């Protein structure tokens, strides 16, 4: 599974997002330590605070399938016209952190081939641990 294939999986599931309130579609695809891919999209609700982010859906799918570690997570977000290099929100950074190690890569890419790779320490320095 290449980074491009994982980004394609994120872009594909982004098309399934349920986001009638924001109009902002997000897809996430995780490659886990077993070489399995798990995807998720954002699911909004008329009671706005009940939104489920794409990353949360992909993490739930990974855990349900027996995965324990994110090797790479690709995120693609945007409206129906354009994909933006969408970095995970604050809450999703903490969710990703739970299943990450120093090698975990978070990759985002937009329609113009602008490409970024981050570690979880880049996105969530001085993170919370129990
Ligand atoms: N969203 C995600 O799915 N992931 C993020 O990391 C940022 C935000 C969704 C939530 C909501 O449905 C829409 O994007 C606009 O905030």
């Amino acid at each position: 599974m290449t980074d491009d294939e994982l980004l394609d999986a994120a872009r594909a599931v982004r098309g399934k997002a349920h986001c009638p309130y924001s109009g902002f579609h997000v897809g996430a695809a995780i490659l886990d330590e077993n070489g399995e891919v798990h995807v998720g999209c954002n699911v909004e609700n008329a009671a706005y605070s009940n939104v489920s982010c794409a990353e949360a859906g992909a993490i739930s799918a990974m855990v349900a399938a027996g995965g324990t570690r994110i090797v790479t997570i690709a995120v693609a977000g945007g409206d129906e016209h354009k994909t933006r290099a969408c970095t995970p929100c604050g809450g999703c950074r903490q969710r990703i952190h739970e299943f990450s190690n120093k090698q975990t890569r978070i990759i985002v890419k937009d329609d113009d081939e602008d490409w970024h790779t981050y570690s979880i320490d880049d996105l969530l320095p001085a993170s919370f641990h129990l």
Side-chain angles (χ1 to χ4, degrees):
M1 170 64 53
T2 66
D3 287 353
D4 272 330
E5 287 168 339
L6 203 62
L7 279 156
D8 282 347
R11 274 195 287 260
V13 70
R14 175 178 169 267
K16 302 240 167 59
H18 175 74
C19 54
Y21 307 105
S22 73
F24 193 78
H25 304 244
V26 187
I30 290 173
L31 177 68
D32 74 11
E33 81 277 20
N34 301 313
E36 305 274 328
V37 174
H38 312 280
V39 297
C41 58
N42 54 329
V43 181
E44 297 182 348
N45 191 275
Y48 295 165
S49 63
N50 289 328
V51 65
S52 175
C53 284
E55 298 91 327
I59 288 170
S60 292
M62 179 188 81
V63 172
T68 62
R69 189 170 52 80
I70 300 172
V71 174
T72 309
I73 178 169
V75 184
D79 61 22
E80 55 270 35
H81 307 296
K82 197 159 174 60
T83 308
R84 285 180 18 199
C86 171
T87 48
C89 72
C92 286
R93 293 176 192 206
Q94 185 69 34
R95 290 188 182 97
I96 293 166
H97 177 271
E98 183 78 14
F99 300 100
S100 292
N101 62 16
K102 292 215 174 299
Q103 286 74 46
T104 295
R105 296 161 63 244
I106 298 130
I107 56 177
V108 297
K109 185 181 180 184
D110 69 10
D111 281 343
D112 304 320
E113 303 297 306
D114 190 13
W115 164 289
H116 301 278
T117 301
Y118 302 99
S119 69
I120 194 62
D121 279 349
D122 291 333
L123 297 185
L124 195 66
S127 58
F128 173 73
H129 300 261
L130 280 178

